[in-house]
Amino acid sequence: MVTNAVNIACELAGLPGIKVMLCGGMLDPGSFELVGQLVSKALEGIFIHKFFVGTDGITIDNGLTNRSESEATAARELTVHSGQTILLADHQKFIRSNLARVIPAEKISTIVTTKKVPASTLLEFSELGIEILLASSEKMERF
């Protein structure tokens, strides 16, 4: 498992069968993410099958965005090294753009969200070829 988030690495470190690679960089105290040029260097020669990413905003026109340019740059670098980019976003993140673009919407493989996102919004993303998974406390279902 590869991450630039120190808090995620700590949560997973003690689980049996999981090896954690933490990308180096400067610690962002607000997000507990490692950011900066060392993230890129740490990823040289690395392939990530599935990259799970959060966001501060997602729109059709602006794609995946973040309030922090350094966090966006780190996330963008991780997507370059991944086979699939899977967005985890609650309903409040949709139709909201922020300062720094991570990737265009078309580069997202799958969006995992809740039924609180309007169906019309999910349909727009689905029409780009993005798989939509709706999570609830009981189960996961396709849109």
Side-chain angles (χ1 to χ4, degrees):
M1 204 285 279
V2 180
T3 185
N4 69 321
V6 174
N7 56 339
I8 300 297
C10 289
E11 288 290 326
L12 297 174
L15 297 177
I18 295 183
K19 293 180 181 179
V20 178
M21 177 186 161
L22 192 58
C23 301
M26 296 293 295
L27 180 64
D28 180 319
S31 66
F32 296 102
E33 292 181 20
L34 299 175
V35 297
Q37 294 178 351
L38 290 177
V39 173
S40 177
K41 292 194 184 307
L43 291 171
E44 288 178 8
I46 299 295
F47 177 75
I48 304 164
H49 293 279
K50 295 179 181 180
F51 172 47
F52 294 87
V53 63
T55 188
D56 292 326
I58 176 77
T59 67
I60 291 291
D61 293 334
N62 296 322
L64 191 61
T65 60
N66 198 300
R67 60 180 165 65
S68 163
E69 190 276 330
S70 60
E71 288 178 30
T73 301
R76 186 178 316 112
E77 189 65 31
L78 284 155
T79 64
V80 167
H81 292 271
S82 65
Q84 294 180 21
T85 298
I86 302 168
L87 173 64
L88 309 174
D90 66 38
H91 68 283
Q92 297 174 348
K93 305 300 196 271
F94 286 83
I95 317 304
R96 175 191 293 177
S97 288
N98 287 283
L99 171 70
R101 185 179 202 193
V102 178
I103 56 171
E106 301 83 38
K107 298 277 186 182
I108 300 167
S109 308
T110 304
I111 295 174
V112 180
T113 190
T114 67
K115 292 180 181 181
K116 291 184 179 182
V117 180
S120 59
T121 300
L122 295 177
L123 183 59
E124 285 185 89
F125 287 98
S126 177
E127 289 172 347
L128 293 176
I130 300 170
E131 178 183 30
I132 309 294
L133 298 177
L134 302 175
S136 69
S137 58
E138 299 87 39
K139 62 181 179 177
M140 183 92 67
E141 60 187 66
R142 295 188 192 285
F143 172 73

